[in-house]
Amino acid sequence: GKVLVSGANGYIAVWVVRALLEEGFAVRGAVRSADKAAHLHETFASYGDKFELIVVPDITQEGAFDEAVKGVDAIEHTASPFHFQVDEPDELIRPAIHGTVGILQSALKHGTLVKRVVVTSSSAAVLQVEPEPKTFSELDWNQQAPKEVAELGRAAPAMTKYRASKTLAERAAWDFFEKHKNEIGWDLVVLNPPFVFGPTISHAPTPAALGTSARQFYTMLTEESSPATRHTGSSWVDVRDLGRAHVLALLKAQAGGERIIVSAGPFVWQDWLDAAPHSPHGKYQKGVPGSGKDAVHQIRYDASKSVRVLGMEYRTMAETARDTAADWEARGW
Ligand code: NDP
């Protein structure tokens, strides 16, 4: 079968494309400008005509994906703004919602062969900031971020605007599905990953060009930080495992209709400093080894559904840190 991947040049999406091709799927990648194509064609040259690209210049335009969905058997929608250089909340929220609803609308109208749509949501659509430490599951929805953005508008923190964009886009996807489920030949799977780390195969000539999460990982490992910063954290998943999750989300019939947290576990940054390989050049920060061990994780995720439904297996911090450092070395960083 053939799979449409939106935002195909993104940090996560290139790994999704690779995992799909490795599984034997043909892939049509959607990018927003032709200049994103060269690197992708180079990366996937060995797959010949099993990999093709289509340019969708503006995902917020009505019918933007009408051509892109024709002839594909499934869709992986990853395109959505993930950055924190934002004033008006709508700079993030509009493309997040309209991109998601738009691709579903195109699938409804022109995706006659489509059997399944996978949407890359985020743990940002799950978590809330709460006074006591909590383990979140797929039953939890972030109601805080949309509310805060509605109240504060552009004065809301950038992170809150991003979290609202992911929450509202995922809600819109489920609402669309509920409303149209009797007219469509496909079902919906939503993946909710936390922070995504690991090697990069997207176009990144310098560390500054890395995706938001990979760039933060690079900064934390290579630049000095305060003890307080080193003891903050989140949860994480290796980008290659997340790529595989996007394939499993297509292969597993029982994933249909499910929202699935894809997470390897919690971390504080000191844990990554401990996991990073020793470098003869003293390249990576050491912090205070072991001092992250007693950190309290305010937010944890129950990822058991990903294991049960998708059969996920997760890489360890040691493996991800080692392979990411090797990637940087290979790039001469
Ligand atoms: P990247 O920034 O590397 O990729 C984002 C992709 O979306 C790019 O292809 C980008 O295109 C496209 N895109 C962004 N804004 C627009 C827009 N306004 N119109 C059209 N296309 C747009 O980020 P990631 O790979 O990290 O993120 C991919 C998905 O995963 C996103 O949905 C993100 O929310 C989600 N996610 C990411 C996490 C992470 O830690 N990385 C964690 C949880 C979820 P272009 O290159 O042209 O800008």
Side-chain angles (χ1 to χ4, degrees):
K2 184 181 282 194
V3 184
L4 170 66
V5 178
S6 71
N9 62 309
Y11 169 55
I12 294 168
V14 187
W15 283 106
V16 173
V17 171
R18 179 189 266 193
L20 287 166
L21 289 167
E22 277 173 359
E23 190 63 34
F25 288 101
V27 174
R28 177 183 297 158
V31 292
R32 63 168 147 180
S33 61
D35 61 310
K36 317 264 175 185
H39 178 78
L40 286 170
H41 278 306
E42 208 174 287
T43 306
F44 299 118
S46 64
Y47 291 94
D49 59 7
K50 288 203 102 178
F51 177 69
E52 64 188 39
L53 282 169
I54 185 168
V55 175
V56 176
D58 182 0
I59 64 173
T60 65
Q61 286 258 308
E62 194 164 339
F65 288 103
D66 282 1
E67 286 307 311
V69 302
K70 287 179 186 167
V72 302
D73 304 284
I75 298 171
E76 309 256 19
H77 178 56
T78 83
S80 200
F82 179 34
H83 62 80
F84 304 116
Q85 286 75 48
V86 49
D87 292 318
E88 289 303 332
D90 260 355
E91 293 164 33
L92 302 182
I93 291 173
R94 234 182 86 78
I97 295 182
H98 287 258
T100 304
V101 174
I103 208 166
L104 300 181
Q105 190 76 48
S106 293
L108 166 71
K109 275 202 198 151
H110 300 283
T112 45
L113 300 179
V114 176
K115 299 283 176 304
R116 177 160 289 178
V117 179
V118 179
V119 170
T120 314
S121 182
S122 170
S123 63
V126 173
L127 69 90
Q128 297 202 126
V129 181
E130 301 198 358
E132 293 301 320
K134 175 173 169 176
T135 299
F136 291 81
S137 80
E138 289 85 356
L139 297 175
D140 294 300
W141 274 91
N142 188 343
Q143 293 170 321
Q144 239 167 27
K147 190 162 168 277
E148 226 177 293
V149 166
E151 284 164 10
L152 299 176
R154 60 186 295 158
M159 178 65 95
T160 307
K161 294 170 188 164
Y162 171 70
R163 287 174 178 168
S165 79
K166 296 304 286 181
T167 306
L168 295 170
E170 190 192 329
R171 271 253 176 259
W174 288 117
D175 288 349
F176 185 97
F177 177 76
E178 265 312 305
K179 191 166 166 209
H180 296 285
K181 62 182 176 204
N182 298 323
E183 312 156 54
I184 51 184
W186 43 268
D187 59 11
L188 181 64
V189 182
V190 171
L191 299 180
N192 300 77
F195 249 127
V196 183
F197 302 136
T200 292
I201 49 172
S202 42
H203 186 56
T206 64
L210 287 170
T212 299
S213 57
R215 194 171 61 242
Q216 185 164 355
F217 192 84
Y218 183 83
T219 305
M220 288 303 302
L221 264 67
T222 59
E223 290 179 15
E224 241 175 277
S225 56
S226 68
T229 303
R230 292 195 295 270
H231 291 165
T232 62
S234 183
S235 287
W236 72 286
V237 64
D238 187 292
V239 69
R240 298 162 293 181
D241 293 340
L242 183 55
R244 180 73 189 144
H246 281 77
V247 174
L248 293 168
L250 292 185
L251 296 178
K252 304 283 185 181
Q254 66 270 28
E258 300 290 345
R259 184 179 200 228
I260 305 172
I261 291 171
V262 181
S263 170
F267 71 90
V268 294
W269 288 105
Q270 181 65 53
D271 299 332
W272 287 110
L273 304 188
D274 296 351
H278 293 292
S279 150
H281 325 294
K283 218 182 213 167
Y284 307 123
Q285 292 299 308
K286 287 202 167 55
V288 181
S291 67
K293 295 286 169 269
D294 302 325
V296 176
H297 298 286
Q298 236 2 66
I299 292 175
R300 287 172 177 271
Y301 298 101
D302 176 354
S304 58
K305 191 176 180 179
S306 70
V307 176
R308 203 171 59 243
V309 175
L310 298 179
M312 282 298 293
E313 290 174 22
Y314 291 104
R315 282 176 168 79
T316 61
M317 289 183 118
E319 195 177 347
T320 299
R322 181 198 66 204
D323 295 350
T324 309
D327 178 32
W328 298 339
E329 298 282 337
R331 291 161 186 271
W333 294 354

